[in-house]
Amino acid sequence: MSLEIYGIVEKTTFYRLGIIPVEVKRDHSELISRASQLKGKRVGLELIENFENVEVPEITIPEIYKNLHENLKSKNEIVFLDDRELYEKCQGLLRRYDSERNVIEKFKLHIEIDYISLCKRNEEIIRKINQNDLDAAFIGGAHAYDFHKKHKDKGRVFLEVPSNLEEVAEKIDRAFLTAIDDQMLDDLLDLLPSLVYRIYDVEELPEKQEFEEEVSKFPAIERLYNLISKGRFEPEIEKKPDYIGSWSLSILDIPLRGFFEVYLDEQLIKDCVGDARFDGKIDEKNARFSKKYFKSFSLFGGPIKEEIYYESLSPIKIGSLRGIAGIYHTKGRIKGRPFILFRYSEEGVQKLLNLSSEDVCKSIF
């Protein structure tokens, strides 16, 4: 039997009015049926060993993995694909995140949590699949899709897709419209049909966009993690940027999220949502350039698809940093937003990563 990997939808949450979460029952019967047919096999599960005895209140193990383990353990050899050390590290970070009040430090913790829980766990799961001579594996859908993209020749990948999404969403809307009080709403939501998942070979999947978006977050998160831990998006590249800056300066945002690097010789701009072609000029006192993304990640909704135009307006001084402040816009919906730009230095990177938007806006305006 060649390796078969099953990508699982671990949780689907519907939102009423975009903000009210509604949990629905989930029907993985087709997946369980496939698992039930496995006997005498070596099967990988996205679980940590002795998961039953691990109390991690901040991290919930999806029920589907517990059900699969119960179904498979008596007839097959189970290989645990997840990592206890990463689980425990996430637990500590989540506790710090919950108690942190500084917006910038909280965002950095969010990045580190995502890096460990998504990127590092993804690496560990794929490494263990490749090293353990498995017959089958049951892992999260994004991990399975990433495995397919990186190791097409090593196994056949199947992915779960909800088959009655629109029906369930319609009945949720109807429940909210019909209910005259909270008790009636709870009763109507209890009667919702289960969300039924069907299994497709990844090559025959009718819609791949959601999986593509999930997988494209991995390199974006890794870039941000590299930035806060090593000062560069891609520290393995010897060439350092010529300029650094930020395009996220609204009072409700932080410069770290919009941090970008400019490489003049390569005519390239890098940030956490992609790579863009740089066209224009920058010197110590002026900047006038445009950028157009040619590589995109789905983090924070992904990059703006239009060409974006940047123009300096005035010099700016933040502590010992001297640079340029200006406005960027598109020919469409963005009419004018502030940006800042400085010549690259390690000191400048650390200064920019720890600035609040309020401090920047005071310096500009």
Side-chain angles (χ1 to χ4, degrees), residues 241-244 260-262 264 282-284 341-344:
D242 298 288
Y243 288 88
I244 55 173
F260 63 84
E261 300 173 340
V262 181
L264 295 179
I282 300 175
D283 59 35
E284 298 305 315
L341 188 71
F342 304 93
R343 181 166 283 282
Y344 170 80

Side-chain angles (χ1 to χ4, degrees), residues 164-218:
N164 59 338
L165 203 62
E166 292 182 4
E167 175 196 356
V168 175
E170 182 181 331
K171 292 193 174 182
I172 290 173
D173 287 342
R174 192 178 303 166
F176 274 87
L177 290 171
T178 303
I180 59 175
D181 56 35
D182 289 344
Q183 183 58 55
M184 185 176 179
L185 177 59
D186 289 341
D187 292 341
L188 289 171
L189 292 178
D190 284 341
L191 295 174
L192 288 173
S194 297
L195 190 61
V196 179
Y197 296 102
R198 296 282 179 253
I199 294 175
Y200 290 86
D201 186 303
V202 66
E203 300 290 358
E204 300 169 0
L205 200 64
E207 179 55 63
K208 299 181 182 181
Q209 182 177 351
E210 184 176 345
F211 293 107
E212 287 282 1
E213 288 178 354
E214 283 299 308
V215 168
S216 82
K217 289 178 183 178
F218 294 165

Side-chain angles (χ1 to χ4, degrees), residues 6 10 39 54 222 238 246 258 261 271 280 284 289 332 344:
Y6 292 91
E10 298 164 351
K39 294 180 182 179
V54 176
E222 187 168 4
E238 185 176 348
S246 177
E261 300 173 340
D271 60 22
E284 298 305 315
F289 61 91
Y344 170 80

Side-chain angles (χ1 to χ4, degrees), residues 103-340:
V103 174
I104 297 170
E105 292 306 313
K106 201 173 184 75
F107 186 77
K108 290 180 181 178
L109 284 169
H110 192 294
I111 293 168
E112 191 171 359
I113 291 165
D114 281 353
Y115 176 71
I116 293 169
S117 64
L118 297 175
C119 303
K120 291 301 290 183
R121 283 182 61 240
N122 186 61
E123 289 177 11
E124 184 68 5
I125 288 166
I126 290 179
R127 182 186 71 79
K128 287 184 176 178
I129 289 174
N130 285 329
Q131 291 186 353
N132 275 284
D133 192 26
L134 301 177
D135 296 299
F138 294 85
I139 60 178
H143 300 309
Y145 193 74
D146 193 47
F147 183 93
H148 166 71
K149 295 190 74 165
K150 294 175 178 175
H151 305 286
K152 288 185 179 181
D153 59 327
K154 292 188 177 181
R156 190 177 177 188
V157 174
F158 300 87
L159 292 166
E160 280 192 320
V161 175
S163 63
N164 59 338
L165 203 62
E166 292 182 4
E167 175 196 356
V168 175
E170 182 181 331
K171 292 193 174 182
I172 290 173
D173 287 342
R174 192 178 303 166
F176 274 87
L177 290 171
T178 303
I180 59 175
D181 56 35
D182 289 344
Q183 183 58 55
M184 185 176 179
L185 177 59
D186 289 341
D187 292 341
L188 289 171
L189 292 178
D190 284 341
L191 295 174
L192 288 173
S194 297
L195 190 61
V196 179
Y197 296 102
R198 296 282 179 253
I199 294 175
Y200 290 86
D201 186 303
V202 66
E203 300 290 358
E204 300 169 0
L205 200 64
E207 179 55 63
K208 299 181 182 181
Q209 182 177 351
E210 184 176 345
F211 293 107
E212 287 282 1
E213 288 178 354
E214 283 299 308
V215 168
S216 82
K217 289 178 183 178
F218 294 165
I221 292 167
E222 187 168 4
R223 277 191 177 188
L224 279 174
Y225 179 76
N226 285 340
L227 180 63
I228 64 173
S229 61
K230 301 175 183 177
R232 295 270 306 282
F233 284 131
E234 296 171 341
E236 70 278 5
I237 297 175
E238 185 176 348
K239 174 68 188 296
K240 295 179 180 178
D242 298 288
Y243 288 88
I244 55 173
S246 177
W247 43 254
S248 57
L249 303 176
S250 76
I251 206 67
L252 299 176
D253 211 340
I254 56 174
L256 168 55
R257 194 176 74 87
F259 187 98
F260 63 84
E261 300 173 340
V262 181
Y263 297 82
L264 295 179
D265 290 343
E266 292 78 6
Q267 296 182 297
L268 180 65
I269 295 178
K270 291 179 178 287
D271 60 22
C272 68
V273 294
D275 292 348
R277 173 185 52 80
F278 168 89
D279 185 16
K281 292 183 179 181
I282 300 175
D283 59 35
E284 298 305 315
K285 295 182 178 180
N286 297 287
R288 189 182 182 91
F289 61 91
S290 67
K291 72 177 184 184
K292 173 77 171 168
Y293 286 94
F294 60 85
K295 178 180 181 180
S296 64
F297 307 128
S298 63
L299 201 64
F300 309 132
I304 296 168
K305 294 182 180 180
E306 303 170 70
E307 189 152 10
I308 308 168
Y309 302 89
Y310 290 73
E311 185 170 1
S312 60
L313 296 178
S314 64
I316 183 174
K317 184 175 184 295
I318 302 176
S320 60
L321 282 184
R322 295 178 181 273
I324 295 168
I327 294 292
Y328 69 91
H329 70 279
T330 68
K331 293 183 178 179
R333 59 190 177 91
I334 296 179
K335 302 304 180 185
R337 296 179 185 172
F339 76 93
I340 51 176

